[in-house]
Amino acid sequence: NLFFFISTTTAPTATKLWSGGKSPFNVEYGKLMMWYFLMSDAFTFGAFLISYGTTRFATNGWPDPNKVFQSFPGLGSGYPLLFVSLMTFILIISSVTMVLAVHAGHNMDKKGVVKYMIWTIIGGLAFLSCQAWEWTHLYHEGAWWGRNPFPNTDGTISTTNFTNFFFTITGFHGFHVFSGVVINVIML
């Protein structure tokens, strides 16, 4: 008697990672690279701000921002944080116009895309102009990397941590905005 032993083996089945709707793993290259860029941007700015926050709150003294940022072009001094508020407003509006340009693109509205992209570029250039004025003004007051003319809120001499962080973070952000303006001009 010959007995045939038939061995049954099952082939491993592929694990199904997604079972509903459109797979998130099937992403076009451009969108994936945009997400990588956004994540790297978020991590870089996050690292800057965490480093700033850690240093800021580990330091006993820090200059009063109401005194450091009290100047406004054409109006002079005595307007605490007014220019900073204007710059923030410009950034928010230019973000909104970019969202409107993307929305117009989804609706295949070429005129809308062009109109809102131009407004976004104008907003970016306005912000960069404001930042250039602010840097120039602070430089003429004696502030720069490694130099801090502003006393702490308690009147003691301040370290250069404030100016080093300020110029590094705002410089990186200015380059980010400049890059966005250039890319938007190219896409337009």
Side-chain angles (χ1 to χ4, degrees), residues 80-168:
L81 300 176
L82 185 62
F83 194 58
V84 172
S85 300
L86 174 66
M87 292 172 67
T88 303
F89 178 75
I90 291 169
L91 276 180
I92 291 169
I93 294 301
S94 66
S95 295
V96 169
T97 57
M98 189 66 216
V99 168
L100 292 171
V102 170
H103 181 70
H106 285 281
N107 292 330
M108 305 304 238
D109 175 12
K110 187 175 179 179
K111 282 185 177 181
V113 170
V114 170
K115 175 176 75 172
Y116 290 121
M117 288 286 284
I118 289 171
W119 280 114
T120 302
I121 291 165
I122 290 170
L125 292 173
F127 175 81
L128 291 171
S129 299
C130 290
Q131 187 170 8
W133 182 89
E134 182 178 50
W135 274 40
T136 303
H137 174 74
L138 291 173
Y139 178 79
H140 288 299
E141 292 207 357
W144 201 243
W145 280 280
R147 292 193 325 239
N148 184 2
F150 307 109
N152 292 326
T153 53
D154 62 2
T156 59
I157 296 172
S158 183
T159 68
T160 58
N161 286 338
F162 170 75
T163 49
N164 291 344
F165 275 113
F166 174 80
F167 287 111
T168 300

Side-chain angles (χ1 to χ4, degrees), residues 26-36:
N26 187 19
V27 178
E28 60 197 49
Y29 179 77
K31 185 176 267 191
L32 181 65
M33 291 301 108
M34 180 54 77
W35 277 107
Y36 281 147

